[in-house]
Amino acid sequence: MTFGDRRFHYFAIAVLHLNDRFWRDGMSNHTYALAAASQRTIAGWHKALPTGDADILRRLLDEQVMFHSPAVQSPIRGRDASLLVLSAVAEALDNVCYRRTFVAGPCEAGLEFSADIGQLHLTGIDLMRLGADGLILEFEVMMRPLKALSAVAEAVGNRIGPRLLEMKLKPPPG
C-alpha cells in the first residue's frame, strides 16, 4: 500500500475515525496500569474536585501530603492546608473537566484538565504520587496561560490567604 493507493486513503480515514472515537469515548482515561487503590483515588478525584466535595477530597489525601502549587514557591504541607487550597480552587474555577490520564506506574499519574476562571480558559496537569493505600502523598499542579494562573492565584489568595499563612507558620505536630 502506497500513499497514492486508494486503499491507503481508506486506511487513513479508518485510522482517523478510530482516533476520533478513542478521544471522544474517553478511552485515553483508562487507568488499568495503576494499582487498584490508585484507580479508586483517581476516580474519586475526578468526582470531587470539579464539585468541590471536601469530604471526598479529605479521604483521598494522606495526612502528610505535599502539594506543589504553581502559584507559590514553597510546598504546602499537610492534609488540612492542602484541602483548604483545593476547596478554594474548586470554588474559583468553573467548568472543570478532566480530559486525559497519563500513567507512569502503579502509583503515579498525570491528570490533564481544563477549566474557566471568569472570561479566561486554562489548561493544566495534576501530577500525583500515591501510596500503596491509594492516598495522595504528593501532587504538583501546572497551569497555563500565565494570565489565567494569576487570576486563580488572586482568587484563591483572596479567599484563604491569611488562614493559609497561619497554617504554614504553625509548627508541625510532634
Side-chain angles (χ1 to χ4, degrees):
M1 188 174 350
T2 64
F3 181 74
D5 188 347
R6 182 177 298 280
R7 289 176 299 164
F8 177 82
H9 293 285
Y10 290 131
F11 174 75
I13 289 168
V15 168
L16 290 173
H17 174 72
L18 288 173
N19 192 38
D20 178 55
R21 247 184 100 190
F22 178 82
W23 295 114
R24 186 183 66 240
D25 295 344
M27 297 290 285
S28 63
N29 285 323
H30 284 299
T31 56
Y32 58 85
L34 287 170
S38 297
Q39 289 179 31
R40 287 189 294 275
T41 297
I42 299 300
W45 184 271
H46 283 154
K47 290 177 195 165
L49 195 68
T51 62
D53 190 325
D55 292 331
I56 293 175
L57 285 171
R58 177 175 292 285
R59 290 192 303 265
L60 302 177
L61 300 173
D62 185 81
E63 183 68 37
Q64 302 301 318
V65 66
M66 189 178 319
F67 171 27
H68 301 276
S69 166
V72 296
Q73 180 67 31
S74 59
I76 297 163
R77 299 175 191 276
R79 180 185 293 146
D80 291 339
S82 296
L83 188 58
L84 178 67
V85 174
L86 289 170
S87 296
V89 167
E91 287 176 24
L93 296 180
D94 294 315
N95 305 317
V96 176
C97 176
Y98 281 91
R99 302 168 65 153
R100 292 187 285 176
T101 300
F102 303 94
V103 176
C107 296
E108 294 184 13
L111 311 176
E112 178 187 18
F113 65 90
S114 63
D116 299 313
I117 181 156
Q119 299 298 313
L120 301 171
H121 184 73
L122 61 90
T123 57
I125 299 276
D126 293 331
L127 298 175
M128 296 184 179
R129 186 172 58 84
L130 303 104
D133 57 2
L135 295 179
I136 300 169
L137 300 172
E138 185 174 11
F139 69 102
E140 181 173 357
V141 178
M142 292 182 262
M143 199 179 295
R144 64 169 302 279
L146 181 58
K147 191 171 184 178
L149 170 59
S150 297
V152 172
E154 181 179 351
V156 170
N158 289 340
R159 283 178 170 83
I160 64 163
R163 187 157 173 228
L164 181 60
L165 181 60
E166 181 183 306
M167 292 174 100
K168 287 179 87 172
L169 295 175
K170 185 178 168 183

